[in-house]
Amino acid sequence: MRHLLTLDDWSAEHIAEAISTARAIKADPQEYEDALRRKTLCMIFEKPSLRTRLSFEAGMNQMGGHAIYYDTSTSPLGNGKETIADTIRTMCRYVDIIMARLFKHEDLLEMAAFSTVPIINALTNFSHPGQILADLQTIEEHKGRLAGLKLAYLGDSFNNVTHSLLFACPKMGMHLSIGCPAGKEYEPAPEAFAAATADAKKTGSRFVLTHDAAEAVRDADVVYTDSWMSYHIPKEQAAERVRIFMPYQVTADLMKKAKPDAIFLNCLPAMRGMEQTAEVIDGPQSVVFDEAENRMHMHKALMLLLLREAGRI
Ligand code: CP
Ligand code: NVA
């Protein structure tokens, strides 16, 4: 049973297939309007969401299926009355596919271990693979290719988005530079760092981690940043994190060090004046709403591919 748990588990071919399928669905959605007829998706949420929830639900509806929003705060699972194992074994008797947005990545792995239907990681503290697949689609659409491009990521790098970039970009032959503060709570987790180093060696791409924001973005084709206050970070840490991450804020001046035709990405939600200035996110290089739109095309592609492979369509 193939799931989407992290992009570490996915080959370059699987990633390329997801991107080309998402682009085909985007180009001709009518062609796929019955592709998931009468299929049911369960969407397990422990954390908030705008894009992920709406794009999965709208995407499933557009393909003729149905999506159930399952908020763990009103479930026996969230109330400590039922185990992950019993929840998933029950859920699999009703639905064809599951997506889950959770705090602990280990809980997602446990779900996958008990599931007889495909599971899609819709964000854990550790990784956010569906996001990065939609980001790669967006980059390919704007730049015409992935291999040989340089992506610079600035800011909080001990996070799900960074880890998924590390698992995917070097594998796809992209050069990757990370600009972040020093310290293990701000730098990528060792396993993601090791995967990026090994993949870069295999594909001949460059992978660099630096504490100098200007060096990170130099000649980049894509500049990417993410929230300094991910959903799981306690509010009390806000002031301290603003102080630590401010040198990595994406400003118009910093964008000038990238290539003149560089595009700007942020997975959203975004805070103007924090991880980037308003001038950057609302400026001509920003493609953040194309990026947000592509979440839906990518989710449709992922459901189609995984359900097809599981023999359920
Ligand atoms: N980018 C993203 O996953 O957004 P949501 O938290 O709104 O789903
Ligand atoms: N790193 C962010 C991504 C939000 C989509 C978070 O975990 O909140």
Side-chain angles (χ1 to χ4, degrees), residues 72-290:
T72 56
S73 70
T74 55
S75 75
L77 173 66
N79 292 324
K81 300 269 185 226
E82 196 155 24
T83 62
I84 287 178
D86 287 355
T87 302
I88 294 298
R89 285 183 292 191
T90 304
M91 203 176 268
C92 288
R93 302 290 176 109
Y94 308 135
V95 308
D96 300 285
I97 187 162
I98 295 169
M99 60 122 283
R101 167 165 287 197
L102 307 174
F103 287 91
K104 291 194 212 142
H105 193 72
E106 300 71 44
D107 289 350
L108 183 80
L109 299 180
E110 192 177 344
M111 287 182 178
F114 287 99
S115 184
T116 56
V117 305
I119 297 215
I120 299 175
N121 177 356
L123 183 152
T124 62
N125 292 2
F126 178 67
S127 78
H128 196 5
Q131 175 70 53
I132 271 52
L133 289 174
D135 300 339
L136 295 181
Q137 179 193 344
T138 310
I139 295 166
E140 199 185 88
E141 285 173 356
H142 281 271
K143 295 286 171 193
R145 65 192 169 110
L146 295 177
L149 296 178
K150 173 176 171 177
L151 186 146
Y153 175 90
L154 275 299
D156 181 11
S157 299
F158 181 62
N159 86 0
N160 39 29
V161 163
T162 322
H163 294 152
S164 296
L165 287 169
L166 291 176
F167 288 136
C169 294
K171 200 181 270 176
M172 302 311 285
M174 297 173 74
H175 307 301
L176 178 62
S177 66
I178 306 290
C180 66
K184 71 173 174 27
E185 63 274 51
Y186 313 118
E187 295 179 8
E191 59 267 46
F193 189 91
T197 307
D199 286 337
K201 201 175 265 175
K202 266 187 227 150
T203 61
S205 59
R206 285 187 306 277
F207 166 52
V208 183
L209 185 141
T210 168
H211 304 306
D212 179 343
E215 186 195 326
V217 298
R218 187 171 308 124
D219 296 327
D221 300 281
V222 182
V223 179
Y224 195 135
T225 189
D226 183 15
S227 171
W228 297 339
M229 288 299 294
S230 281
Y231 291 127
H232 64 282
I233 307 282
K235 282 193 183 66
E236 307 76 68
Q237 293 183 17
E240 171 70 350
R241 290 174 73 87
V242 169
R243 189 181 67 73
I244 285 164
F245 288 118
M246 198 48 93
Y248 302 89
Q249 184 185 58
V250 181
T251 61
D253 268 354
L254 198 63
M255 284 300 290
K256 288 199 188 101
K257 301 196 191 309
K259 288 201 181 134
D261 62 351
I263 53 172
F264 172 78
L265 272 71
N266 181 326
C267 60
L268 308 176
M271 293 276 281
R272 287 160 178 79
M274 293 293 170
E275 71 273 11
Q276 73 284 287
T277 59
E279 196 182 1
V280 169
I281 196 169
D282 298 321
Q285 289 169 280
S286 173
V287 298
V288 298
F289 296 108
D290 292 346

